[in-house]
Amino acid sequence: MMKFTFRITTTFLLGMLSATSLLAQKTPPKKPNFVVIMADDLGYGDIGTFGAKDIRTPNIDKLANDGLKFTSFYSTSPVCSPSRFGLLTGRYPRRQGVDGVFFPESFNGIPKEELTIAEALKTKGYSTGIVGKWHLGHHRQYLPLQNGFDEYFGIPYSNDMQGVAYLRGNEVEQYNIDQKYTTKTYTEEAIKFIDKHKKEPFFLYLPHTMPHVPLHASPAFEGKSKRGLYGDVIEELDWSVGQVVEALKKNGIEDNTLVIFTSDNGPWLIFDIEGGSAGNLRNGKGTTFEGGQRVPAIFHWPAKIKAGTVYDDLALHLDIFPTILTLAGYQSKLSNPIDGEDISSILTSNGKRKGDEFIYYSNGKVEAFRKGDWKIRLAQPASKNYLNGKENPATEALLFNLKDDVAETKNLYQSSPEKANELLSALDKKIKSIGETPKTLPQRLPADDSHIKKYQQRHPELKK
């Protein structure tokens, strides 16, 4: 009898083990979560891991120490709106004429035929949310909820523009914002999103308003850094990063979440002490020198990325779109050509990016081109600085070896004509591969103030 019982029990156990094995084989691996944190106008030299000595950024530095730091990572534009377009679509913004910054009086925004990261991930069962600055059009059809996001809270454009207000979804939730608390408010909203969606795959896009001017820090951080208000703002952003990571840990999903930290473009140097630092890079926001488009970038994913990894070769904001789609298992054919590259192998297996070319666009025009370690910057005419009215001097054609001279101080154009011609030929080929592109989308239309001028002519005594 005992022998019979033993056989039954053994058979039962073997069956259970077999069923469990089959169930394990059929259960697909859990999809990773994605959190993309983007600062606004943060300079290459504004955080510790990229060289800052007078601003404390322990949380961002820890992301780099425990993850992957890119030292040669580029935004697609030296200004806000086009760089955000490039990150969310994987495409040069020139392909749609998104060449400059949208304003509250703009009638344009991200075109409906563009596929965003959020739209693609929704087809794979992801919950999608954005907390922060959108800046790709504020009319209803251009807002996040019409472009793949399930949830939106934030300011639709830059904080120095008229009519700054918090939107929730498609509606205004709050006017008269106290910007001292914007970073804190965004952080709280981001944590709510993580807590709400912790049991399902999600994509959280957190584009901060700061450190775009005007600068504001909450009382807990104001006056605490060694670099004045700008440093205070960065230290609060670092606190925010720490809070987001802590929320992932608390919910037990840090290991399965890829966190990306970057900036939309370089620092706005014209604001001097409130304009950030590009470190040892030349110039800043609004220019196609390295300080304008080479930005900090850190990828953190404990389960996949080896701690302390550094990647020194070219990588781009454009790469984020195809990389996230690959990691999420998105396999549908894309209707639009993608300019970025899937760099998931760099994250998980010491791979290398195949492409080594990048076009530096400014206001829809090609100003520079990089191939490998070399960069050529085309001759530029003199121009006026819109902020102070001063003349930006004309520049001659420039050629740099960025590996030897990242500060762009030694012009090799005259001494290396063969290399210059090689890059010009490669640039021409690259532009032809993109094909014909549309005119720039109007950013704002001038007001007809002829009535005021006529009135002033009739009343010259009113003129000062």
Side-chain angles (χ1 to χ4, degrees):
M1 186 71 179
M2 288 181 64
K3 188 174 182 180
F4 175 74
T5 304
F6 175 76
R7 284 177 179 172
I8 292 293
T9 305
T10 303
T11 303
F12 175 75
L13 288 173
L14 287 173
M16 286 293 292
L17 288 171
S18 178
T20 302
S21 177
L22 287 172
L23 183 63
Q25 290 175 11
K26 291 180 180 178
T27 304
K30 190 175 181 182
K31 295 174 183 176
N33 306 307
F34 304 102
V35 177
V36 177
I37 305 172
M38 184 159 68
D40 192 330
D41 293 356
L42 176 75
Y44 194 85
D46 286 332
I47 53 180
T49 188
F50 283 89
K53 303 295 183 185
D54 52 356
I55 300 178
R56 295 165 296 187
T57 55
N59 294 299
I60 297 172
D61 297 346
K62 190 174 189 315
L63 280 187
N65 293 336
D66 295 344
L68 167 62
K69 181 172 82 170
F70 288 87
T71 64
S72 192
F73 200 88
Y74 291 86
S75 65
T76 49
S77 171
V79 294
C80 301
S81 297
S83 67
R84 293 158 199 277
F85 176 97
L87 185 150
L88 287 174
T89 67
R91 287 158 45 82
Y92 281 114
R94 174 86 289 273
R95 288 187 180 274
Q96 289 285 13
V98 181
D99 299 325
V101 173
F102 293 124
F103 291 84
E105 59 266 40
S106 296
F107 286 92
N108 291 302
I110 184 169
K112 63 180 180 180
E113 61 267 26
E114 287 298 324
L115 179 73
T116 67
I117 295 174
E119 287 174 312
L121 291 181
K122 275 179 66 68
T123 68
K124 299 301 295 182
Y126 277 74
S127 294
T128 58
I130 167 175
V131 176
K133 174 181 171 179
W134 174 239
H135 215 174
L136 285 171
H138 68 288
H139 288 272
R140 186 183 181 91
Q141 67 267 36
Y142 305 125
L143 285 171
L145 266 58
Q146 285 65 248
N147 286 279
F149 289 95
D150 298 318
E151 302 173 33
Y152 172 46
F153 176 87
I155 300 171
Y157 28 74
S158 294
N159 64 327
D160 62 340
M161 295 179 175
Q162 293 180 339
V164 171
Y166 284 143
L167 268 63
R168 189 174 296 279
N170 293 319
E171 307 298 331
V172 175
E173 179 173 281
Q174 182 182 342
Y175 295 101
N176 302 318
I177 294 171
D178 184 348
Q179 291 197 50
K180 280 182 176 290
Y181 298 97
T182 297
T183 298
K184 184 174 185 292
T185 301
Y186 286 171
T187 305
E188 292 170 350
E189 290 287 337
I191 291 171
K192 288 178 187 176
F193 181 87
I194 292 170
D195 290 344
K196 179 180 177 182
H197 299 286
K198 60 188 176 183
K199 294 184 179 180
E200 59 200 19
F202 64 78
F203 167 52
L204 171 62
Y205 176 42
L206 177 54
H208 277 284
T209 288
M210 300 294 161
H212 192 290
V213 289
L215 299 176
H216 294 277
S218 69
F221 291 89
E222 195 170 10
K224 300 297 174 63
S225 81
K226 295 180 180 179
R227 208 200 288 177
L229 181 56
Y230 187 89
D232 300 341
V233 167
I234 303 305
E235 291 190 3
E236 186 163 19
L237 286 175
D238 180 77
W239 165 84
S240 175
V241 170
Q243 293 295 297
V244 169
V245 173
E246 184 59 34
L248 297 173
K249 287 181 180 177
K250 183 190 73 173
N251 287 302
I253 54 177
E254 182 191 18
D255 283 352
N256 195 45
T257 303
L258 171 61
V259 177
I260 299 173
F261 177 85
T262 188
S263 177
D264 65 341
N265 46 247
W268 213 349
L269 298 179
I270 195 166
F271 286 100
D272 46 73
I273 61 172
E274 293 193 345
S277 167
N280 62 342
L281 305 180
R282 182 172 175 177
N283 223 305
K285 175 179 178 174
T287 78
T288 50
F289 288 105
E290 291 299 283
Q293 289 187 246
R294 187 184 290 221
V295 294
I298 298 166
F299 286 53
H300 179 265
W301 190 3
K304 298 289 184 179
I305 297 176
K306 182 180 178 182
T309 306
V310 177
Y311 190 81
D312 293 320
D313 291 331
L314 177 77
L316 314 169
H317 271 178
L318 296 170
D319 299 335
I320 292 175
F321 175 95
T323 301
I324 286 180
L325 265 59
T326 295
L327 295 172
Y330 184 90
Q331 297 177 335
S332 301
K333 186 177 180 180
L334 300 173
S335 58
N336 294 324
I338 300 300
D339 297 304
E341 183 178 316
D342 170 19
I343 57 171
S344 57
S345 66
I346 297 175
L347 278 57
T348 60
S349 58
N350 298 317
K352 183 176 174 63
R353 193 179 191 277
K354 298 185 181 75
D356 66 348
E357 298 178 336
F358 175 61
I359 302 175
Y360 301 69
Y361 284 102
S362 180
N363 293 315
K365 296 179 180 179
V366 177
E367 285 197 1
F369 177 68
R370 175 173 173 175
K371 184 172 177 59
D373 294 329
W374 290 84
K375 174 182 177 180
I376 189 165
R377 192 170 185 273
L378 309 180
Q380 301 299 319
S383 60
K384 270 194 175 183
N385 187 305
Y386 85 93
L387 195 63
N388 58 19
K390 293 182 178 179
E391 185 101 333
N392 295 322
T395 57
E396 60 184 340
L398 305 171
L399 180 69
F400 304 109
N401 184 315
L402 295 176
K403 186 175 183 180
D404 299 332
D405 179 28
V406 72
E408 299 176 293
T409 60
K410 303 171 186 175
N411 183 10
L412 305 177
Y413 188 82
Q414 297 296 333
S415 61
S416 305
E418 290 184 359
K419 178 57 70 173
N421 288 332
E422 177 187 322
L423 262 69
L424 288 171
S425 177
L427 171 59
D428 184 62
K429 184 177 179 181
K430 184 74 173 177
I431 292 173
K432 287 179 179 176
S433 72
I434 292 175
E436 187 175 347
T437 55
K439 292 180 180 179
T440 298
L441 291 176
Q443 297 162 253
R444 60 206 306 192
L445 301 174
D448 183 355
D449 59 356
S450 58
H451 57 299
I452 297 175
K453 292 176 182 177
K454 288 178 182 178
Y455 181 82
Q456 290 173 340
Q457 288 171 358
R458 293 195 302 269
H459 300 277
E461 72 277 5
L462 296 177
K463 293 183 179 181
K464 293 182 180 180

